[in-house]
């Protein structure tokens, strides 16, 4: 849909618009940029910007249009939820639209959401539910007389791509459910397709053994797996569907049966009894907004140990009558909001590569990137492990790259973005001689079956320094968590230069 030149143009325009939000004269450029990023996210599964950056642009467009109603166009991103459909699958209309969620990024945003609910409902005491926001692919499941008759992706919110044969292969999706217990004849459920993190890792291990390219992440693998042309491939990916909403339910006379189950938590409990996978243990009913904030903080601490990828928590008004009072916009329900955890991924630029020498002579390339704020810290250096890592990621100096913090601790390069190359990028050539003292022409060696290049005849003192640091740190484990990151601690405390001076090493060369 977009060629390389157009991708580069829109990526550059995105950065300009984020830094300088346009006035009414730039509204069409803003729409073009948003349409592009919607396509990258929902269709191509290859996003270029963070959710928050997208939200900044989208919310600005919405304000421009609210202040200038005459500027609204039928094809504006504010008039629909997502973007174009994948033409490989037939389009089907959802019974009710699948809307997006508004976002919150901190406790004050959550309190603002509560204040709005109080105004809309006229009630001071509001009961909320809080549950994980799964990071996968959204689906809609339709049951007629208790039989699964249709499954579709989210698509553009109004209609999605039908993938019923694929959904039927998933054990977590009941082919039959006794909705008649609740006098429900037609039901449409909302869910999220996800892959457990340990299953994803095992899949990639097997792919590596067989010489196949690795899957990028669980989200893209699950979302793409919904639309494979071979339904068995969908099953082989270990996809599970978490159902998070009973969106539509009527009896034989078309009466709304949701009124008989007056809470969101009650509806999920009913779905659980019918055999659906729901976030039953994870969901909490909170009596006030401060309980909501406290529960979210708990999950922020433990999300990395959870079996599935999540990128936030969803807060919903529990009472469905109050949900009706709050209503919805064309974009999102007013009675729910998604709290977003701090971003674990960000885009930056690979500016340079430095090489470090370890205590046994292994050479580690370290990426020097344009500083970027990620998950609460500023990242400017990232280990690239070895030469094979550089080759497998096709990394070049000047590349735009995607980085993440695994477990919010270790920065990691996910991939390069070759579509944004303009010809100025330089290929990386791993050194053949010691990078600390190349004038000594000490040749690096890589043993058969190993990934690391090593210096086996150190003449610059770098290995001796690392050995000394390692030795001292082993005997200093009780000092402020020393052993976890001993090199960083030695730099931080200024001790590394003292050791270099003691052993008559040239610190400026080996640091």
């Amino acid at each position: 849909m977009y060629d390389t030149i157009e991708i580069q143009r829109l990526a550059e325009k995105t950065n300009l618009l984020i830094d300088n939000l346009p006035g009414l004269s730039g509204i069409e450029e803003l729409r073009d940029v948003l349409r592009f990023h919607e396509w990258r996210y929902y269709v191509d599964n290859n996003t270029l910007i963070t959710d928050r950056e997208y939200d900044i642009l989208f919310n600005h467009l919405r304000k421009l249009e609210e202040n200038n109603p005459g500027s609204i166009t039928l094809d504006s991103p504010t008039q629909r939820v997502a973007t174009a459909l994948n033409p490989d699958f037939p389009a089907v209309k959802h019974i009710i639209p699948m809307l997006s969620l508004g976002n919150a990024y901190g406790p004050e945003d959550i309190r603002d959401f509560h204040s709005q609910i109080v105004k809309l409902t006229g009630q001071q005491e509001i009961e909320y539910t809080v549950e994980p926001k799964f990071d996968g692919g959204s689906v809609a499941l339709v049951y007629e007389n208790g039989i699964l008759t249709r499954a579709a992706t989210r698509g553009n919110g109004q209609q999605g791509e039908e993938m019923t044969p694929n959904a039927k292969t998933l054990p977590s999706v009941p082919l039959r459910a006794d909705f008649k217990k609740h006098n429900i004849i037609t039901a449409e459920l909302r869910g999220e397709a996800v892959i457990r993190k340990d299953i994803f890792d095992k899949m990639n291990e097997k792919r590596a053994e067989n010489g196949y390219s690795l899957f990028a992440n669980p989200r893209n693998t699950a979302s793409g797996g919904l639309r494979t042309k071979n339904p068995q491939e969908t099953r082989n990916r270990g996809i599970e569907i978490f159902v998070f909403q009973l969106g539509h339910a009527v009896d034989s006379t078309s009466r709304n049966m949701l009124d008989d189950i007056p809470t969101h938590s009650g509806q999920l409990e009913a779905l659980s009894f019918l055999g659906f996978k729901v976030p039953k243990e994870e969901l909490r009913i909170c009596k006030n907004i401060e309980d909501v904030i406290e529960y979210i903080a708990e999950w922020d601490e433990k999300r990395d140990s959870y079996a599935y990828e999540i990128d936030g928590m969803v807060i919903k008004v529990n009472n469905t009558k109050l949900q009706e009072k709050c209503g919805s916009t064309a974009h999102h329900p007013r009675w729910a909001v998604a709290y977003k955890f701090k971003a674990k991924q960000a885009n930056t630029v690979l500016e340079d590569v430095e090489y470090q020498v370890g205590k046994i002579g292994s050479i580690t390339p370290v990426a020097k990137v344009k500083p970027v704020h990620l998950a609460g810290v500023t990242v400017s250096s990232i280990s690239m492990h070895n030469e094979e890592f550089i080759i497998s990621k096709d990394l070049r100096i000047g590349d735009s790259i995607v980085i993440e913090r695994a477990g919010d601790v270790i920065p990691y390069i996910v991939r390069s973005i070759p579509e944004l190359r303009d010809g100025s990028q330089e290929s990386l050539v791993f050194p053949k001689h010691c990078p600390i003292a190349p004038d000594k022409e000490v040749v690096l060696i890589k043993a058969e079956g190993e990934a690391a290049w090593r210096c086996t005849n150190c003449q610059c003192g770098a290995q001796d320094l690392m050995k000394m640091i390692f030795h001292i740190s082993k005997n200093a484990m009780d000092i402020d968590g020393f052993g976890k990151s001993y090199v960083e601690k030695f730099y931080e405390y200024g001790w590394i230069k003292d050791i270099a001076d003691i052993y008559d090493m040239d610190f400026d060369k080996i640091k």
Side-chain angles (χ1 to χ4, degrees):
M1 183 173 179
Y2 294 93
D3 61 24
T4 301
I5 294 175
E6 190 69 352
I7 289 173
Q8 292 178 354
R9 185 186 73 80
L10 289 167
E12 292 172 0
K13 178 58 67 176
T14 299
N15 293 331
L16 292 174
L17 292 179
I18 289 173
D19 291 337
N20 298 283
L21 294 172
L24 190 60
S25 61
I27 195 169
E28 198 51 45
E29 282 189 331
L30 182 56
R31 289 184 183 126
D32 284 343
V33 164
L34 285 168
R35 292 187 192 105
F36 165 67
H37 289 294
E38 287 173 341
W39 179 84
R40 292 283 300 198
Y41 185 91
Y42 291 106
V43 177
D44 197 45
N45 289 322
N46 196 10
T47 183
L48 289 177
I49 60 175
T50 66
D51 289 349
R52 187 161 196 173
E53 288 170 333
Y54 176 87
D55 291 339
I56 289 171
L57 297 176
F58 184 93
N59 291 334
H60 184 68
L61 173 61
R62 186 163 53 193
K63 286 181 181 178
L64 284 177
E65 293 181 344
E66 288 174 352
N67 294 333
N68 303 276
S71 69
I72 299 175
T73 59
L74 292 176
D75 64 346
S76 173
T78 62
Q79 304 304 298
R80 58 183 180 179
V81 176
T83 184
L85 305 175
N86 189 324
D88 292 336
F89 292 83
V92 291
K93 188 175 181 179
H94 300 307
I95 295 177
I96 59 173
M98 295 184 72
L99 301 180
S100 297
L101 290 174
N103 292 323
Y105 296 98
E108 288 311 308
D109 290 344
I110 297 173
R111 294 186 180 102
D112 288 344
F113 165 72
H114 172 66
S115 297
Q116 184 67 16
I117 297 299
V118 170
K119 289 179 183 178
L120 291 169
T121 62
Q123 296 197 24
Q124 293 295 323
E125 301 296 327
I126 305 291
E127 186 175 81
Y128 295 99
T129 60
V130 185
E131 60 200 83
K133 182 179 181 296
F134 294 99
D135 194 13
S138 297
V139 298
L141 305 173
V142 176
Y143 287 80
E144 300 278 356
N145 294 308
I147 302 298
L148 176 66
T149 57
R150 192 178 77 196
T153 65
R154 182 171 179 266
N156 65 9
Q158 300 294 326
Q159 55 182 2
E161 302 150 341
E162 183 177 2
M163 31 68 73
T164 310
N166 296 25
K168 286 183 175 180
T169 69
L170 304 179
S172 58
V173 177
L175 299 181
R176 179 191 297 271
D178 193 7
F179 281 100
K180 288 184 179 179
K181 282 184 177 179
H182 301 280
N183 294 319
I184 296 172
I185 299 301
T186 301
E188 185 177 49
L189 284 57
R190 301 295 162 70
E192 194 82 359
V194 295
I195 299 174
R196 234 174 48 210
K197 289 188 284 191
D198 61 333
I199 291 177
F200 175 79
D201 291 340
K202 289 176 182 176
M203 277 196 298
N204 264 348
E205 286 175 11
K206 190 171 183 179
R207 291 180 70 84
E209 289 173 4
N210 294 327
Y212 300 142
S213 61
L214 302 186
F215 289 129
N217 53 59
R219 176 197 171 271
N220 286 6
T221 308
S223 182
L226 296 176
R227 302 192 296 270
T228 58
K229 293 184 178 180
N230 179 2
Q232 189 57 42
E233 171 63 18
T234 303
R235 182 183 178 90
N236 291 342
R237 292 197 183 188
I239 297 172
E240 303 172 38
I241 304 290
F242 269 97
V243 173
F244 56 77
Q245 185 185 6
L246 178 57
H248 173 83
V250 297
D251 65 8
S252 58
T253 66
S254 297
R255 184 172 76 88
N256 182 9
M257 300 307 296
L258 294 178
D259 293 339
D260 291 356
I261 315 176
T263 63
H264 169 66
S265 57
Q267 291 173 5
L268 287 190
E269 186 175 1
L271 290 171
S272 179
F273 278 118
L274 292 176
F276 293 94
K277 188 179 183 70
V278 303
K280 188 175 180 180
E281 301 299 325
E282 299 87 342
L283 181 138
R284 177 176 291 184
I285 299 172
C286 297
K287 298 300 182 182
N288 57 63
I289 203 65
E290 294 305 317
D291 286 348
V292 169
I293 293 171
E294 184 178 333
Y295 189 53
I296 287 174
E298 289 179 23
W299 270 94
D300 202 359
E301 290 293 323
K302 67 182 182 182
R303 59 171 166 147
D304 289 310
S305 62
Y306 187 50
Y308 304 89
E309 290 285 356
I310 60 174
D311 57 1
M313 303 293 286
V314 180
I315 308 161
K316 299 176 182 176
V317 173
N318 196 24
N319 187 290
T320 54
K321 288 297 182 185
L322 294 183
Q323 290 181 6
E324 290 178 12
K325 271 193 173 183
C326 295
S328 302
T329 70
H331 178 257
H332 63 272
R334 294 190 179 95
W335 46 266
V337 70
Y339 176 87
K340 292 294 192 74
F341 293 135
K342 291 177 182 178
K344 296 174 69 175
Q345 285 197 347
N347 293 350
T348 186
V349 176
L350 175 56
E351 296 183 327
D352 198 5
V353 175
E354 295 180 357
Y355 296 89
Q356 295 180 350
V357 179
K359 62 186 177 68
I360 59 172
S362 55
I363 309 299
T364 302
V366 178
K368 312 304 289 186
V369 303
K370 183 178 180 181
V372 60
H373 197 68
L374 179 61
V377 302
T378 299
V379 177
S380 59
S381 297
I382 307 173
S383 172
M384 295 199 291
H385 307 292
N386 51 52
E387 182 183 30
E388 291 179 6
F389 182 89
I390 293 172
I391 295 172
S392 68
K393 300 290 183 182
D394 186 25
L395 297 171
R396 305 178 189 182
I397 300 293
D399 262 346
S400 294
I401 57 175
V402 178
I403 68 172
E404 70 178 21
R405 292 184 69 206
D408 284 349
V409 177
I410 306 169
Y412 176 79
I413 297 177
V414 179
R415 60 185 172 87
S416 61
I417 309 176
E419 304 98 305
L420 299 185
R421 288 175 182 158
D422 58 11
S424 64
Q425 288 73 23
E426 301 176 13
S427 297
L428 280 166
V429 179
F430 207 88
K432 301 302 180 187
H433 297 84
C434 173
I436 306 301
D439 55 312
K440 297 183 182 297
E441 296 188 354
V442 176
V443 177
L444 302 180
I445 297 172
K446 182 165 72 169
E448 185 176 351
E450 289 191 0
W453 286 92
R454 301 183 191 279
C455 173
T456 59
N457 183 25
C458 181
Q459 298 183 31
C460 66
Q463 289 181 48
D464 291 335
L465 179 59
M466 290 299 108
K467 288 176 184 176
M468 185 59 61
I469 292 172
F470 182 76
H471 173 73
I472 295 176
S473 69
K474 284 183 67 177
N475 296 293
M477 292 292 286
D478 59 333
I479 303 177
D480 195 23
F482 228 34
K484 295 179 182 178
S485 54
Y486 58 85
V487 174
E488 288 84 352
K489 289 296 182 185
F490 269 82
Y491 276 102
E492 179 183 339
Y493 295 151
W495 296 345
I496 193 167
K497 189 175 188 308
D498 295 337
I499 294 172
D501 290 342
I502 290 171
Y503 288 90
D504 195 26
M505 300 173 183
D506 190 340
F507 174 73
D508 290 330
K509 278 192 176 183
I510 62 180
K511 67 179 178 179

